[in-house]
Amino acid sequence: MKKVISLLLVSVFMVLCLTACGGSEWETFLSDYESVVDEYIELTEKYAADPTDTAVAAEMATLSGEMAELAVKAQEISADLKDDPDALKEFTEELARITQKAAAQ
Protein backbone atom coordinates (compact mmCIF):
# COMPACT_ATOMS: atom_id res chain seq x y z
CA MET A 1 0.00 0.00 0.00
CA LYS A 2 2.90 2.34 0.77
CA LYS A 3 4.16 1.96 -2.80
CA VAL A 4 0.71 2.83 -4.17
CA ILE A 5 0.55 5.99 -2.09
CA SER A 6 4.11 6.90 -3.06
CA LEU A 7 3.26 6.45 -6.73
CA LEU A 8 0.20 8.63 -6.31
CA LEU A 9 2.27 11.33 -4.62
CA VAL A 10 4.78 11.25 -7.45
CA SER A 11 1.94 11.36 -9.99
CA VAL A 12 0.40 14.40 -8.34
CA PHE A 13 3.82 16.05 -8.21
CA MET A 14 4.35 15.40 -11.92
CA VAL A 15 0.90 16.66 -12.87
CA LEU A 16 1.37 19.76 -10.78
CA CYS A 17 4.78 20.48 -12.21
CA LEU A 18 3.48 20.11 -15.73
CA THR A 19 0.23 21.96 -15.26
CA ALA A 20 0.88 24.32 -12.32
CA CYS A 21 -1.67 26.56 -10.61
CA GLY A 22 -2.06 30.30 -10.10
CA GLY A 23 -2.30 33.01 -7.47
CA SER A 24 -3.68 32.32 -4.05
CA GLU A 25 -5.54 29.37 -5.52
CA TRP A 26 -2.25 27.51 -5.98
CA GLU A 27 -1.22 28.41 -2.44
CA THR A 28 -4.47 26.95 -1.13
CA PHE A 29 -3.91 23.91 -3.27
CA LEU A 30 -0.42 23.41 -1.84
CA SER A 31 -1.80 23.75 1.67
CA ASP A 32 -4.38 21.06 0.91
CA TYR A 33 -1.71 18.88 -0.67
CA GLU A 34 0.52 19.23 2.38
CA SER A 35 -2.37 18.24 4.63
CA VAL A 36 -2.83 15.05 2.62
CA VAL A 37 0.92 14.35 2.79
CA ASP A 38 0.87 14.88 6.56
CA GLU A 39 -2.03 12.44 6.81
CA TYR A 40 -0.09 9.99 4.65
CA ILE A 41 2.89 10.25 7.01
CA GLU A 42 0.67 9.64 10.02
CA LEU A 43 -0.93 6.62 8.36
CA THR A 44 2.41 5.09 7.40
CA GLU A 45 3.52 5.42 11.02
CA LYS A 46 0.30 3.73 12.20
CA TYR A 47 0.74 1.01 9.60
CA ALA A 48 4.35 0.42 10.67
CA ALA A 49 3.20 0.05 14.27
CA ASP A 50 0.45 -2.44 13.36
CA PRO A 51 0.36 -3.73 9.75
CA THR A 52 -2.67 -5.90 10.59
CA ASP A 53 -4.90 -2.91 11.43
CA THR A 54 -7.60 -3.00 8.77
CA ALA A 55 -8.84 0.47 9.73
CA VAL A 56 -5.48 1.92 8.70
CA ALA A 57 -5.65 0.06 5.40
CA ALA A 58 -9.11 1.50 4.80
CA GLU A 59 -7.87 5.00 5.60
CA MET A 60 -5.01 4.53 3.16
CA ALA A 61 -7.47 3.51 0.46
CA THR A 62 -9.49 6.67 1.13
CA LEU A 63 -6.31 8.70 0.97
CA SER A 64 -5.53 7.19 -2.41
CA GLY A 65 -8.85 8.57 -3.64
CA GLU A 66 -8.00 11.99 -2.27
CA MET A 67 -4.68 11.89 -4.10
CA ALA A 68 -6.50 11.14 -7.35
CA GLU A 69 -8.80 14.10 -6.68
CA LEU A 70 -5.77 16.32 -6.14
CA ALA A 71 -4.40 15.30 -9.53
CA VAL A 72 -7.73 16.21 -11.16
CA LYS A 73 -7.82 19.52 -9.30
CA ALA A 74 -4.31 20.31 -10.51
CA GLN A 75 -5.44 19.83 -14.08
CA GLU A 76 -8.49 22.03 -13.54
CA ILE A 77 -6.41 25.00 -12.35
CA SER A 78 -3.38 24.40 -14.56
CA ALA A 79 -3.56 27.45 -16.82
CA ASP A 80 -3.26 30.03 -14.03
CA LEU A 81 0.49 29.96 -13.45
CA LYS A 82 2.05 29.37 -16.84
CA ASP A 83 2.58 33.08 -17.52
CA ASP A 84 4.12 33.88 -14.11
CA PRO A 85 7.64 32.41 -13.91
CA ASP A 86 8.29 33.74 -10.39
CA ALA A 87 5.14 32.18 -9.02
CA LEU A 88 5.87 28.98 -10.94
CA LYS A 89 9.31 28.81 -9.36
CA GLU A 90 7.88 29.38 -5.86
CA PHE A 91 5.15 26.83 -6.50
CA THR A 92 7.58 24.21 -7.80
CA GLU A 93 9.98 24.68 -4.88
CA GLU A 94 7.18 24.40 -2.31
CA LEU A 95 5.72 21.38 -4.05
CA ALA A 96 9.13 19.71 -4.05
CA ARG A 97 9.51 20.41 -0.32
CA ILE A 98 6.13 18.84 0.45
CA THR A 99 6.79 15.85 -1.78
CA GLN A 100 10.19 15.36 -0.12
CA LYS A 101 8.40 15.00 3.23
CA ALA A 102 6.40 12.10 1.85
CA ALA A 103 9.38 10.53 0.11
CA ALA A 104 11.31 10.49 3.40
CA GLN A 105 8.82 7.96 4.79
Side-chain angles (χ1 to χ4, degrees):
M1 182 60 96
K2 184 177 177 181
K3 287 184 181 184
V4 170
I5 299 296
S6 295
L7 287 173
L8 285 170
L9 288 170
V10 169
S11 296
V12 169
F13 178 76
M14 298 280 294
V15 167
L16 292 174
C17 284
L18 292 173
T19 61
C21 321
S24 64
E25 188 174 11
W26 65 262
E27 293 169 340
T28 300
F29 183 87
L30 286 173
S31 177
D32 293 346
Y33 177 62
E34 186 161 24
S35 293
V36 171
V37 167
D38 290 341
E39 186 176 348
Y40 162 75
I41 292 168
E42 182 180 326
L43 286 174
T44 58
E45 291 169 353
K46 285 181 182 179
Y47 183 77
D50 184 4
T52 63
D53 187 344
T54 57
V56 172
E59 288 181 63
M60 292 181 95
T62 299
L63 186 63
S64 294
E66 289 178 31
M67 296 300 294
E69 290 174 15
L70 284 173
V72 170
K73 178 70 175 173
Q75 292 174 347
E76 291 172 356
I77 59 179
S78 65
D80 292 346
L81 198 59
K82 64 183 176 187
D83 295 329
D84 187 347
D86 292 333
L88 178 60
K89 180 179 185 276
E90 181 180 345
F91 171 78
T92 303
E93 289 172 354
E94 183 66 6
L95 186 62
R97 181 192 66 77
I98 295 167
T99 303
Q100 182 68 26
K101 282 174 50 173
Q105 291 300 307

